[in-house]
Amino acid sequence: MASNKRMKGVSVTLPVYTYNFATPLTGKKANDSDHTHKWTVGFKGFHGDLSFCIKKVVFRLHDTYANPVRTIEEPPFELHETGWGEFEVLVKVYFHPSANEKAAQLYHHIRLHPYQDDPSGGPWPKDKPVTCFLYDELVFNEPTEVFYQILADNNVAGSSGLPLRKYTGKDYALPPFSVQMEQEELDRLEKAQREVNQQILQLRQRKLALEQEKIN
Ligand code: SLL
């Protein structure tokens, strides 16, 4: 029978991401206030609906908002707003009491503007949402037996839930993260490490040669 005893040496990682989508306001809405964009900010995992372990998500907006603290108690854990500037949102994730876990704090930078041309080469289309996805992980160190069982029942223990292949479709609302993307990043890091090691070796040899020259 699972209990509230903590599982020594066990750690479970839940990959998650925060996101935002933004589009410029048009027509009357744009003229009636100094707000320039409508946007959505949210929090999700890769294992589908996370309400089995998450009780609520609190988004703390910039102090220029009248009520900066917004609580979302049900999935999708997302919030729709309008505004004029980019800023960092504090995303506080609260777990069900049965999890016996402290709230987790993540940060998401709300992006409103495209900082690059469209991947097709032309300027960013006016009505195309600007998106920002940030990957993060919730790590449960020594979870209670009860919580571990809940995580296992929802396929979290032992699987990252990340899609295997890179996402190449057109749905702007889907995050780009995948096992393939992670592997490509690891390959890039390994290649860079090899190059740096090579340069260190060459510099050492050069230093040695110069020292020899000095002695002779
Ligand atoms: C900036 N550092 O200066 C940022 C702050 C704050 C954005 C951006 C508030 C909307 C409202 C709003 O959009 N704040 O007034 O209700 O760009």
Side-chain angles (χ1 to χ4, degrees):
M1 184 65 192
S3 75
N4 259 337
K5 220 173 90 197
R6 295 221 168 244
M7 297 172 72
K8 286 261 162 290
V10 174
S11 159
V12 178
T13 300
L14 178 61
V16 294
Y17 63 98
T18 56
Y19 56 92
N20 88 269
F21 314 128
T23 41
L25 285 174
T26 49
K28 192 173 172 332
K29 278 196 200 130
N31 295 332
D32 283 357
S33 81
D34 56 355
H35 290 195
T36 54
H37 289 74
K38 63 175 179 194
W39 50 259
T40 298
V41 66
F43 165 86
K44 271 193 180 148
F46 297 90
H47 289 82
D49 181 356
L50 288 185
S51 51
F52 68 86
C53 65
I54 287 166
K55 183 167 169 265
K56 62 178 180 182
V57 177
V58 177
F59 296 92
R60 189 179 168 102
L61 307 183
H62 193 265
D63 283 341
T64 43
Y65 281 89
N67 304 301
V69 180
R70 312 289 174 87
T71 302
I72 309 290
E73 314 237 2
E74 267 162 46
F77 297 111
E78 65 178 27
L79 172 76
H80 307 280
E81 251 301 349
T82 62
W84 48 261
E86 301 191 344
F87 61 94
E88 190 152 75
V89 182
L90 168 65
V91 182
K92 220 164 163 186
V93 180
Y94 290 84
F95 302 97
H96 289 303
S98 60
N100 241 303
E101 290 286 335
K102 278 202 227 99
Q105 290 201 29
L106 314 175
Y107 294 90
H108 182 87
H109 182 86
I110 302 261
R111 263 189 64 186
L112 302 182
H113 307 287
Y115 295 127
Q116 65 206 32
D117 281 345
D118 194 49
S120 68
W124 197 269
K126 271 210 158 29
D127 53 353
K128 179 173 169 177
V130 167
T131 60
C132 174
F133 296 97
L134 297 177
Y135 177 90
D136 217 319
E137 289 178 346
L138 304 178
V139 180
F140 306 114
N141 285 319
E142 310 203 330
T144 62
E145 287 179 357
V146 171
F147 189 41
Y148 184 85
Q149 195 54 52
I150 294 173
L151 293 169
D153 289 346
N154 287 278
N155 299 320
V156 173
S159 114
S160 78
L162 281 174
L164 283 181
R165 300 246 160 269
K166 238 192 196 157
Y167 180 69
T168 50
K170 289 242 176 317
D171 186 350
Y172 74 86
L174 285 177
F177 314 112
S178 64
V179 173
Q180 185 184 1
M181 188 194 202
E182 186 180 38
Q183 190 55 51
E184 285 172 4
E185 180 73 4
L186 287 172
D187 292 347
R188 271 194 296 277
L189 286 169
E190 201 190 303
K191 184 164 171 263
Q193 183 71 60
R194 272 204 308 272
E195 279 171 16
V196 169
N197 287 347
Q198 187 64 28
Q199 285 172 11
I200 292 173
L201 213 69
Q202 280 168 357
L203 284 171
R204 278 211 188 113
Q205 282 166 354
R206 173 124 184 79
K207 181 169 169 259
L208 219 64
L210 287 172
E211 279 168 2
Q212 283 297 329
E213 240 172 62
K214 226 168 116 186
I215 292 168
N216 299 330

